Amino acid sequence: MTTIDDAGVLRGLHVPGTPVILPNVWDAASARAVQEAGFPAVATGSAAVARVLGHEDGERVPVDEMMSAVARIARAVDVPVTADVERGYGLKPAELAERLLAAGAAGCNLEDSDPRTGELIDPGEQADFLAEVRAAAGPALVINARVDTYLHGSTSREQALARAERYLEAGADCVYPITLADEDEIRALVTALGGRPVNVLFRPGAPSLARLAELGVARVSFGAGLHRLAHAHTVALLAKVKAGDSPF
């Protein structure tokens, strides 16, 4: 399929009440595992990819390394790939869109706080950034616009909703109030957005997948959670080897 076909497939998976489940991956092998498990799309997680590449999260990965990793993952699977690219690694919107499409991505996550400082970006500035990415990519990228207010300590529904609405108006396909886990707040945000797609991070303490569907969520991400579990399992296996035991 062409990239625009992939984006159309990915966009169509965002159904409120029947969310697309995205167990975020970190390399080609984990991407293949996700596809082989029957998931209809693959999503990268910036923190997990960064650690695999020997860096910390927070745009500390050189952009060429990140785009190469996305390209390897896209080549490894036959389903649409959406890439977590933080806030674009300093690229101008048009170049960011061009690099993502060249890597084979059908979608991207873009966050509205500075990955290095944690400072929230002015919502108007972020909306302009998203609009420029949309203009450059056309329909060939599914844009998932992160809303980082909850991540950075604000519990104001009004602030999160205002940002979400601006980003959707700017051309985002979905909004992602990352770390929001309160059922009432999720339901209220979904309702206020009138059925437009909302992404929720699945983590300890979050509602179950079935409950998130009941709340009208359209997309569920796992962030770096699965990579942390896989890495912890590897550490435990290595401890067995070090102790002279069989890891098998």
Side-chain angles (χ1 to χ4, degrees):
M1 292 192 295
T2 64
T3 302
I4 197 165
D5 290 333
D6 285 348
V9 170
L10 179 61
R11 192 172 283 113
L13 293 171
H14 290 66
V15 180
T18 311
V20 57
I21 309 299
L22 298 172
N24 298 70
V25 307
W26 48 92
D27 61 11
S30 57
R32 288 196 187 102
V34 164
Q35 177 177 304
E36 289 166 2
F39 293 94
V42 162
T44 71
S46 68
V49 173
R51 287 165 193 154
V52 166
L53 295 175
H55 303 277
E56 291 301 315
D57 198 25
E59 293 200 343
R60 290 173 173 81
V61 182
V63 66
D64 289 346
E65 288 190 43
M66 180 58 75
M67 291 300 175
S68 293
V70 171
R72 284 193 296 273
I73 288 167
R75 287 195 301 268
V77 296
D78 299 318
V79 296
V81 172
T82 179
D84 180 357
V85 289
E86 304 194 56
R87 200 168 179 268
Y89 300 94
L91 298 178
K92 298 294 185 184
E95 184 180 1
L96 175 61
E98 180 182 356
R99 298 279 308 259
L100 283 165
L101 294 174
C108 63
N109 277 16
L110 290 168
E111 55 202 56
D112 69 345
S113 61
D114 186 317
R116 295 177 182 273
T117 67
E119 182 178 351
L120 285 166
I121 304 298
D122 176 81
E125 179 183 344
Q126 182 69 1
D128 289 345
F129 182 82
L130 295 171
E132 290 182 49
V133 174
R134 170 58 67 218
L141 278 179
V142 176
I143 299 174
N144 189 34
R146 238 177 63 173
V147 176
D148 288 1
T149 54
Y150 297 101
L151 177 65
H152 295 300
S154 171
T155 58
S156 167
R157 182 192 309 167
E158 292 74 18
Q159 185 182 6
L161 179 59
R163 284 176 176 264
E165 288 178 332
R166 291 193 74 163
Y167 302 162
L168 290 164
E169 290 167 3
D173 297 279
C174 182
V175 290
Y176 184 10
I178 191 166
T179 74
L180 175 60
D182 180 86
E183 288 193 16
D184 291 339
E185 288 300 312
I186 293 170
R187 182 192 297 107
L189 191 64
V190 168
T191 300
L193 290 173
R196 289 170 290 179
V198 173
N199 183 181
V200 168
L201 175 67
F202 190 80
R203 61 189 181 117
S208 69
L209 294 178
R211 183 61 180 147
L212 289 172
E214 291 172 354
L215 294 172
V217 169
R219 172 171 170 157
V220 180
S221 302
F222 280 67
L226 293 176
H227 179 257
R228 282 195 296 267
L229 290 174
H231 184 73
H233 182 61
T234 300
V235 169
L237 293 177
L238 292 172
K240 287 187 176 183
V241 174
K242 180 64 176 175
D245 297 328
S246 170
F248 307 111

